[in-house]
Amino acid sequence: MSDVNNDRDHYDNQIAGHYASYRPPLHQKILTLALPKNRSFEAGLDIGSGTGYSAIALAEHCESVIGIEPSDSMREKATSHDKVTYLSGSGETIPLDDACMDIVTFAGALFYMDRSRLIPELQRVCRPGGYIVVYDFEVILQPVLRSLSVVLDQPDDQYDHAANLSGTELFIEITVCRDQIQLPVTPSELCHILLATPESYSVLADKYGQDKLFDKLVGRVEEKENLGSVSVDIYYSSYQLSS
């Protein structure tokens, strides 16, 4: 049993290492598209901030940001930033005073929340006319994996990347958008993306072996002329709280 646990720990550590080594700058790209042009905010709130990527992206548009995250382990690993404070909490129980936020963002977090409890909390913490932005993205790995002679089964979950707050009476809908962009990547960056998810790591390790897997993949990607970018589906919607 100890050998099995050691193998599992090694597997998890490898994936976590690739996740930490390179994260595509998609939060920043999407927020730039979703937010009002040339507009900055005093106080921002990022709900479901995880290890901090989305909160730090929001900090580029705010004087200060609160990132709330229910997972202790996620908050412990969150990247520090001089504009960002991380707190324990969730969208249904926001640990902040009334009418204190100018903008609230959700990056891939809205799908998991109880709308009946979330909406009153958003109304409570937002200042009149406050903005709410919901966004998500999906890196399309299937064509890349096929180029590397690997097939990944489609996930069987019901997760909705396009989840939004449209139809909520309290919010004025500004935009709802779904698009696809091309993200330029180096061979190393692409391989970190591939090896940062359990599903693709598993099939690639089965195909090429775990020993020096990253180095072997970088070599294979460098041989391909069509892998200088990767397609990314992006989803974002923005709203303003009714005065």
Side-chain angles (χ1 to χ4, degrees), residues 22-41:
Y22 175 70
R23 301 308 303 154
L26 293 165
H27 296 89
Q28 296 92 325
K29 289 180 180 291
I30 298 172
L31 279 181
T32 298
L33 293 170
L35 292 176
K37 303 303 180 187
N38 302 316
R39 171 71 187 274
S40 60
F41 301 89

Side-chain angles (χ1 to χ4, degrees), residues 11-168:
Y11 175 86
D12 290 342
N13 287 336
Q14 291 295 311
I15 293 171
H18 290 294
Y19 184 92
S21 293
Y22 175 70
R23 301 308 303 154
L26 293 165
H27 296 89
Q28 296 92 325
K29 289 180 180 291
I30 298 172
L31 279 181
T32 298
L33 293 170
L35 292 176
K37 303 303 180 187
N38 302 316
R39 171 71 187 274
S40 60
F41 301 89
E42 180 182 346
L45 170 63
D46 183 56
I47 296 180
S49 55
T51 57
Y53 290 102
S54 52
I56 291 172
L58 179 58
E60 295 183 12
H61 304 273
C62 299
E63 293 182 16
S64 66
V65 169
I66 300 292
I68 64 170
E69 167 58 46
S71 167
D72 293 340
S73 61
M74 286 284 194
R75 289 197 317 280
E76 289 169 2
K77 296 174 184 175
T79 303
S80 61
H81 189 280
D82 58 0
K83 287 187 178 182
V84 180
T85 301
Y86 300 105
L87 299 176
S88 175
S90 68
E92 297 90 346
T93 53
I94 300 174
L96 298 175
D97 294 334
D98 295 354
C100 63
M101 287 292 143
D102 299 301
I103 181 169
V104 181
T105 57
F106 300 82
L110 179 65
F111 178 79
Y112 301 103
M113 296 182 187
D114 179 349
R115 307 289 183 91
S116 65
R117 297 169 59 200
L118 170 67
I119 301 303
E121 279 290 84
L122 292 178
Q123 184 183 26
R124 180 182 68 80
V125 301
C126 283
R127 291 170 179 156
Y131 278 84
I132 298 171
V133 177
V134 180
Y135 68 99
D136 203 354
F137 58 84
E138 182 180 13
V139 181
I140 309 302
L141 296 179
Q142 295 280 12
V144 178
L145 292 169
R146 284 196 295 269
S147 293
L148 297 170
S149 304
V150 168
V151 176
L152 182 65
D153 292 336
Q154 291 287 353
D156 195 27
D157 60 45
Q158 300 299 311
Y159 179 78
D160 182 11
H161 289 277
N164 60 49
L165 291 169
S166 296
T168 304

Side-chain angles (χ1 to χ4, degrees), residues 7 21-22 42 59 90-91 172 177 192 223:
D7 288 345
S21 293
Y22 175 70
E42 180 182 346
S90 68
I172 300 168
C177 183
H192 283 308
E223 296 171 358

